[in-house]
Amino acid sequence: MPTTEDPYRITGSLPINAILQQLIKNKLLLRLRADNHPEAIITTLLEANPKQGVISIGLSANSRANQRLLNAQTIAIDSIIDDISIEFSINLSPDQVHVNQQQQSLSLPFPEVVRRIQRREYFRVETLVSNPVFCEIPDLASGPAKFPVKNISAGGLALIDREQLIEHVGQQFEHCVLELDGIGNLIVNLSVVRIDSSSEHEKSHVIACQFTQPKASTTVMLQNYVNRLQRLINARQRGLD
């Protein structure tokens, strides 16, 4: 996490605790990644106690996910408060992580630094393998192609490019067809902002794109879809679905 010249950096237990209490009061979802594991864990913050130097988060119904947290050296956490991104990471040693089986919670050290990003950011969620999302790009040099969507937000998405059809950052694609369950097909324009190698799909690229000049109605439908997907993921991890 940046330590200098970062306008979004907040330190001090009082302002950090104020932010954490907002997360608790509004029962906002947290997204956790253990040691940059590709699969995020969705949960909530249950308690923040700066005097004791601990926070408490809900356990996942997935025992493997909980074990990743217990074994992690670093846990990255992010959430959204009123369209403002909240981010912090916690470096861990084995004696700093404790499980409360009675409360189904995990205790972690109180964060020393929180980033409160006061620009419009969107909460990005992973799509479900059981209910995949696809996006068709019609104007590639090789012709139209349909890509699986790895994750999505109201501001953009990441595509899995198994054949490396998308060549470079900055490419613009218009009139792409995004297929969303329960909503239908949305026509979106995409701008490629990053190309990464995939840790899950050999010889594949992950193409990070942002939506360019989306209609207001499209953004609303995307945000509604992301919110619904968040709730579904949270329910499944807690064994409610």
Side-chain angles (χ1 to χ4, degrees), residues 132-171:
V133 177
F134 294 94
C135 184
E136 183 177 48
I137 298 179
D139 54 351
L140 288 166
S142 55
K146 185 177 289 189
F147 299 86
V149 174
K150 183 178 187 297
N151 58 53
I152 187 170
S153 76
L157 48 72
L159 305 172
I160 299 173
D161 183 5
R162 295 191 173 98
E163 299 179 35
Q164 301 183 18
L165 299 176
I166 298 175
E167 299 173 348
H168 57 81
V169 171
Q171 281 186 278

Side-chain angles (χ1 to χ4, degrees), residues 214-230:
K215 296 180 180 179
S217 58
T218 298
T219 300
V220 169
M221 285 189 283
L222 285 165
Q223 190 63 63
N224 288 340
Y225 176 81
V226 169
N227 290 342
R228 180 162 60 88
L229 186 57
Q230 282 180 329

Side-chain angles (χ1 to χ4, degrees), residues 26-43:
N26 295 295
K27 300 180 180 179
L28 298 175
L29 296 178
L30 304 181
R31 181 174 60 174
L32 283 65
R33 290 189 184 277
D35 294 332
N36 294 317
H37 192 280
E39 183 180 345
I41 299 166
I42 306 298
T43 185

Side-chain angles (χ1 to χ4, degrees), residues 34-221:
D35 294 332
N36 294 317
H37 192 280
E39 183 180 345
I41 299 166
I42 306 298
T43 185
T44 54
L45 182 63
L46 303 177
E47 184 180 2
N49 191 323
K51 291 184 178 180
Q52 295 183 5
V54 297
I55 63 172
S56 178
I57 62 172
L59 286 175
S60 169
N62 185 322
S63 60
R64 290 184 180 179
N66 292 329
Q67 195 61 47
R68 286 203 306 273
L69 295 176
L70 290 171
N71 295 337
Q73 294 182 342
T74 301
I75 297 177
I77 302 174
D78 64 80
S79 187
I80 295 287
I81 299 176
D82 295 330
D83 293 328
I84 296 174
S85 177
I86 305 299
E87 302 174 355
F88 57 95
S89 62
I90 300 174
N91 296 321
L92 302 168
S93 58
D95 61 341
Q96 290 182 301
V97 184
H98 304 283
V99 176
N100 186 322
Q101 294 291 354
Q102 184 176 0
Q103 296 182 1
Q104 285 293 288
S105 65
L106 188 71
S107 293
L108 301 171
F110 194 89
E112 297 180 357
V113 177
V114 167
R115 298 183 75 232
R116 185 177 183 271
I117 303 177
Q118 300 181 63
R119 63 175 184 259
R120 188 162 183 82
E121 292 283 328
Y122 295 101
F123 197 93
R124 186 164 295 202
V125 294
E126 302 290 321
T127 58
L128 298 173
V129 175
S130 59
N131 192 15
V133 177
F134 294 94
C135 184
E136 183 177 48
I137 298 179
D139 54 351
L140 288 166
S142 55
K146 185 177 289 189
F147 299 86
V149 174
K150 183 178 187 297
N151 58 53
I152 187 170
S153 76
L157 48 72
L159 305 172
I160 299 173
D161 183 5
R162 295 191 173 98
E163 299 179 35
Q164 301 183 18
L165 299 176
I166 298 175
E167 299 173 348
H168 57 81
V169 171
Q171 281 186 278
Q172 307 280 333
F173 302 109
E174 296 185 345
H175 309 299
C176 304
V177 181
L178 181 59
E179 303 171 2
L180 298 179
D181 178 59
I183 291 180
N185 294 345
L186 295 182
I187 306 301
V188 295
N189 300 326
L190 300 176
S191 175
V192 178
V193 296
R194 192 175 68 253
I195 299 178
D196 297 320
S197 297
S198 173
S199 60
E200 303 170 65
H201 306 277
E202 188 178 358
K203 297 181 180 180
S204 296
H205 286 164
V206 177
I207 313 297
C209 303
Q210 68 180 27
F211 300 123
T212 57
Q213 298 181 326
K215 296 180 180 179
S217 58
T218 298
T219 300
V220 169
M221 285 189 283

